């Protein structure tokens, strides 16, 4: 067997890539295991790229993974084996471990979460004399210190984990330390943020028309097809002899109507099919918007260098000229069954928050939208970076999608909330006119959670999240 540390440009050569720890040279079969080892044993957090493939050839020489099977195979075939070392964070390969170590240490070692200096008073978030920015910095500092002495489980400490990345969770029911964030202060903070967004209600005549059509459908006076036609006709009314009698929904009302129409297609006499999420979200957020593409996502978002797992759903925005990808401004997680472990729900929520933060940081977004679906329960959130080093993820609305035809009228009680979500998404989930770079802070490494993944809580453990009800 001939194994060379250098390259030879010969058709009988083969490059086998080794995955070795750059500090202790322990071998690994997967980059994920290698990164976890480097993080836990050598206290180095490496960035990662979405594409792990180092290519099929280098300078015309085939490239394969180094393992016993390949070594035996190519040795028996009389092929010269050239060993090289693969970078776990990019597609570069190196002749020696020392070259790999130098490259990684200088290019891919991420900084651990650190506390930025408190911004000047005129740039802080203050409510009724309460300095939210300084309180959050105090809380974030306590979380970073505590993380060095104990491991946070995601289902019981997702607030702490998110705070380490600069994210403050504002839900209807908060679970932050009351000595730092009294419930009344958190409620005031959430109220102040929501007050900045436009919140319209359905025009009475539009609401009445929609409700009348749904009532006729529920009473089986009209067919599903006829109900859809009549609802769609509201969005593009035929000019009548009496213009004052014509129904003219706003753009946002049309979005809600489109979501209801999409829902009708998947609502049968007894139950709602599990595939309703895409048409419903498409109707609400991206219908009649060719530049916005809502879709299920079955790959890790390639726009992120250090993505954690994958989102179930996202909305991509494309430039009007040339139809080139511009940014992603919405993410969703979907669990079809309502009987889901609270650990998984908390983990999904954490991931959604990180996806939103990374989108804001990468694309300089004013807001990003996220939603979490459990069975037929849908909760909407929005994230923004209005103040330095303080990302807020705010609960917007929560509703249950009707699962039976007879319950369809219940949705009329939520149309104003859906209208709010549709208008916020269209008006605020855009690229900011201001440069948000000075306000950003580092994101906690996904490797940290990967290390404690094996210690997830049992299904019955309580979770300090409102997402499971």
């Amino acid at each position: 067997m001939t194994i060379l540390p250098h390259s030879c440009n010969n058709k009988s050569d083969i490059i086998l890539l080794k995955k070795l720890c750059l500090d202790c040279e322990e071998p690994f079969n997967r980059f994920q295991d290698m990164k976890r080892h480097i993080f836990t044993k050598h206290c180095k957090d490496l960035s990662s790229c979405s594409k792990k493939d180092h290519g099929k050839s280098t300078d015309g020489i085939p490239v394969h993974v180094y393992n016993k099977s390949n070594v035996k195979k190519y040795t028996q075939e009389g092929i010269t084996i050239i060993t090289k070392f693969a970078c776990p964070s990019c597609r570069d390969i190196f002749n020696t471990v020392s070259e790999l170590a130098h490259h990684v240490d200088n290019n891919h070692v991420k900084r651990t979460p650190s506390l930025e200096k408190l911004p000047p008073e005129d740039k802080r978030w203050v409510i009724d004399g309460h300095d939210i920015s300084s309180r959050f910095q105090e809380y974030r500092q306590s979380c970073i210190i505590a993380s060095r002495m104990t491991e946070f489980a995601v289902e019981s400490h997702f607030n702490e984990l998110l705070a380490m990345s600069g994210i403050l969770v504002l839900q209807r029911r908060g679970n932050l330390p009351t000595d730092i964030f009294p419930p009344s202060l958190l409620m005031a903070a959430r109220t102040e943020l929501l007050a900045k967004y436009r919140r319209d209600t359905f025009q009475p005549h539009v609401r009445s028309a929609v409700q009348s059509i749904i009532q006729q459908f529920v009473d089986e006076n009209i067919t599903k097809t006829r109900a859809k036609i009549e609802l769609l006709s509201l969005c593009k009314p035929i000019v009548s002899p009496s213009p004052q009698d014509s129904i003219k929904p706003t753009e946002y009302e049309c979005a809600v109507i489109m979501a209801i129409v999409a829902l009708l297609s998947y609502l049968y006499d007894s139950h709602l099919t599990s595939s309703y999420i895409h048409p419903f979200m498409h109707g609400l957020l991206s219908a009649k918007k060719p530049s916005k593409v809502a879709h299920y996502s079955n790959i890790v978002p390639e726009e992120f260098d250090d993505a954690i797992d994958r989102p179930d759903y996202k909305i991509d925005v494309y430039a009007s000229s040339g139809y080139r990808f511009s940014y992603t401004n919405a993410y969703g997680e979907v669990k079809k069954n309502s009987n889901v472990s609270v650990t998984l729900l908390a983990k999904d929520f954490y991931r959604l928050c990180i996806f939103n933060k990374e989108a804001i940081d990468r694309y300089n977004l004013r807001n990003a939208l996220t939603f979490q679906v459990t069975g037929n329960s849908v909760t909407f959130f929005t994230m923004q970076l209005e103040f330095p080093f303080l990302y807020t993820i705010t609960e917007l609305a929560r509703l249950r999608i009707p699962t039976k035809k007879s319950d369809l009228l219940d949705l009329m009680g939520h149309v104003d909330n859906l209208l709010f979500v549709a208008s916020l998404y269209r008006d605020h989930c855009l690229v900011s006119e201001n440069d948000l770079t000075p306000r950003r802070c580092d994101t906690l490494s996904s490797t940290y959670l990967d290390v404690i993944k094996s210690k997830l809580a049992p299904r019955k453990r309580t979770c300090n999240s409102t997402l499971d009800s």
Side-chain angles (χ1 to χ4, degrees), residues 111 116 123 357 359-366 385-391 431-442:
R111 295 181 299 169
E116 297 80 7
K123 295 184 182 299
K357 179 183 183 297
I360 288 176
D361 288 350
R362 178 171 288 266
Y363 305 121
N364 203 61
L365 299 182
R366 189 192 310 170
L385 178 58
E386 185 172 350
F387 302 96
F389 323 129
L390 178 50
Y391 301 75
V431 175
S432 175
E433 300 84 0
N434 304 314
D435 182 9
L436 302 180
T437 303
R439 305 180 192 175
R440 300 173 188 166
C441 62
D442 294 333

Side-chain angles (χ1 to χ4, degrees), residues 359-378:
I360 288 176
D361 288 350
R362 178 171 288 266
Y363 305 121
N364 203 61
L365 299 182
R366 189 192 310 170
N367 281 71
L369 185 75
T370 192
F371 63 87
Q372 187 163 15
V373 180
T374 307
N376 69 321
S377 177
V378 184

Side-chain angles (χ1 to χ4, degrees), residues 146-209:
S147 71
R148 296 167 183 164
M149 298 179 287
T150 185
E151 291 178 340
F152 289 147
V154 68
E155 79 289 343
S156 56
H157 296 87
F158 74 87
N159 278 303
E160 289 86 342
L161 291 167
L162 289 173
M164 291 170 67
S165 295
I167 300 171
L168 175 63
V169 181
L170 296 174
Q171 295 177 275
R172 294 181 185 275
R173 185 185 73 210
N175 290 280
L176 296 169
T178 56
D179 58 329
I180 301 177
F181 291 107
S184 58
L185 182 58
L186 288 177
M187 182 61 68
R190 180 174 178 270
T191 301
E192 180 175 288
L193 287 180
L194 293 179
K196 297 179 180 180
Y197 303 120
R198 172 179 175 177
R199 188 161 197 142
D200 295 332
T201 58
F202 255 68
Q203 300 174 79
H205 63 284
V206 177
R207 180 192 296 269
S208 177

Side-chain angles (χ1 to χ4, degrees), residues 154-368:
V154 68
E155 79 289 343
S156 56
H157 296 87
F158 74 87
N159 278 303
E160 289 86 342
L161 291 167
L162 289 173
M164 291 170 67
S165 295
I167 300 171
L168 175 63
V169 181
L170 296 174
Q171 295 177 275
R172 294 181 185 275
R173 185 185 73 210
N175 290 280
L176 296 169
T178 56
D179 58 329
I180 301 177
F181 291 107
S184 58
L185 182 58
L186 288 177
M187 182 61 68
R190 180 174 178 270
T191 301
E192 180 175 288
L193 287 180
L194 293 179
K196 297 179 180 180
Y197 303 120
R198 172 179 175 177
R199 188 161 197 142
D200 295 332
T201 58
F202 255 68
Q203 300 174 79
H205 63 284
V206 177
R207 180 192 296 269
S208 177
V210 173
Q211 184 166 338
S212 175
I213 295 170
I214 293 178
Q215 183 71 67
Q216 294 180 67
F217 170 63
V218 172
D219 293 341
E220 298 186 351
N221 292 327
I222 59 176
T223 64
K224 180 191 298 184
T225 301
R226 186 62 199 172
K228 292 167 64 176
I229 291 174
E230 292 192 14
L231 286 170
L232 289 172
S233 69
L234 297 180
C235 298
K236 193 174 182 180
I238 300 173
V239 178
S240 64
S242 303
Q244 67 273 15
D245 296 329
S246 63
I247 299 174
K248 295 182 179 179
T250 65
E251 174 189 349
Y252 313 119
E253 289 172 332
C254 285
V256 177
I257 293 172
M258 294 291 286
I260 295 174
V261 170
L263 190 62
L264 291 182
S265 300
Y266 291 82
L267 189 67
Y268 293 89
D269 291 337
S270 57
H271 296 285
L272 188 71
T273 63
S274 59
S275 56
Y276 75 95
I277 291 299
H278 170 64
F280 183 80
M281 291 300 174
H282 171 70
L284 183 66
L285 303 176
S286 59
K288 294 189 175 183
K289 295 289 182 180
S291 63
K292 293 183 173 65
V293 179
H295 60 95
Y296 280 109
S297 174
N298 58 1
I299 58 173
V300 172
E302 292 189 358
E303 63 267 28
F304 299 156
D305 290 333
D306 195 23
I308 49 174
D309 298 324
R310 63 172 179 82
D312 290 332
Y313 200 88
K314 65 176 182 174
I315 300 179
D316 295 330
V317 180
Y318 289 78
S320 55
S321 59
Y323 204 67
R324 298 185 306 274
F325 172 80
S326 294
Y327 54 89
T328 300
N329 61 2
Y331 293 94
E333 283 291 333
V334 181
K335 292 289 181 289
K336 297 178 182 179
N337 194 330
S338 59
N339 184 26
V340 181
S341 164
V342 293
T343 297
L344 294 179
L345 289 176
K347 182 171 180 284
D348 282 351
F349 178 67
Y350 176 87
R351 292 164 58 233
L352 287 172
C353 291
I354 297 300
F355 284 135
N356 273 240
K357 179 183 183 297
E358 293 294 311
I360 288 176
D361 288 350
R362 178 171 288 266
Y363 305 121
N364 203 61
L365 299 182
R366 189 192 310 170
N367 281 71

Side-chain angles (χ1 to χ4, degrees), residues 47-183:
S47 62
S48 61
C49 63
S50 57
K51 294 183 178 179
K52 303 299 183 185
D53 185 8
H54 284 74
K56 296 182 179 179
S57 66
T58 298
D59 297 328
I61 305 175
V63 175
H64 293 284
V65 65
Y66 186 102
N67 55 39
K68 292 181 179 179
S69 176
N70 280 340
V71 169
K72 180 179 179 181
K73 172 184 175 182
Y74 295 117
T75 299
Q76 291 176 345
E77 294 177 0
I79 296 177
T80 300
I81 296 175
I82 306 168
T83 57
K84 289 183 179 288
F85 304 91
C87 175
S89 299
C90 69
R91 300 182 66 180
D92 291 346
I93 58 178
F94 299 89
N95 293 325
T96 65
V97 176
S98 60
E99 291 178 357
L100 170 64
H102 182 269
H103 164 80
V104 171
D105 287 342
N106 284 278
N107 295 280
H108 301 302
V109 176
K110 297 173 61 180
R111 295 181 299 169
T112 56
S114 58
L115 206 63
E116 297 80 7
K117 292 183 179 180
L118 194 64
E121 291 187 7
D122 61 333
K123 295 184 182 299
R124 299 180 197 173
W125 187 11
V126 179
I127 300 177
D128 297 329
H130 299 286
D131 192 334
I132 304 295
S133 295
S134 62
R135 287 170 181 258
F136 182 69
Q137 187 188 51
E138 177 187 350
Y139 175 56
R140 188 177 173 212
Q141 182 178 30
S142 67
C143 295
I144 292 175
I145 294 173
S147 71
R148 296 167 183 164
M149 298 179 287
T150 185
E151 291 178 340
F152 289 147
V154 68
E155 79 289 343
S156 56
H157 296 87
F158 74 87
N159 278 303
E160 289 86 342
L161 291 167
L162 289 173
M164 291 170 67
S165 295
I167 300 171
L168 175 63
V169 181
L170 296 174
Q171 295 177 275
R172 294 181 185 275
R173 185 185 73 210
N175 290 280
L176 296 169
T178 56
D179 58 329
I180 301 177
F181 291 107

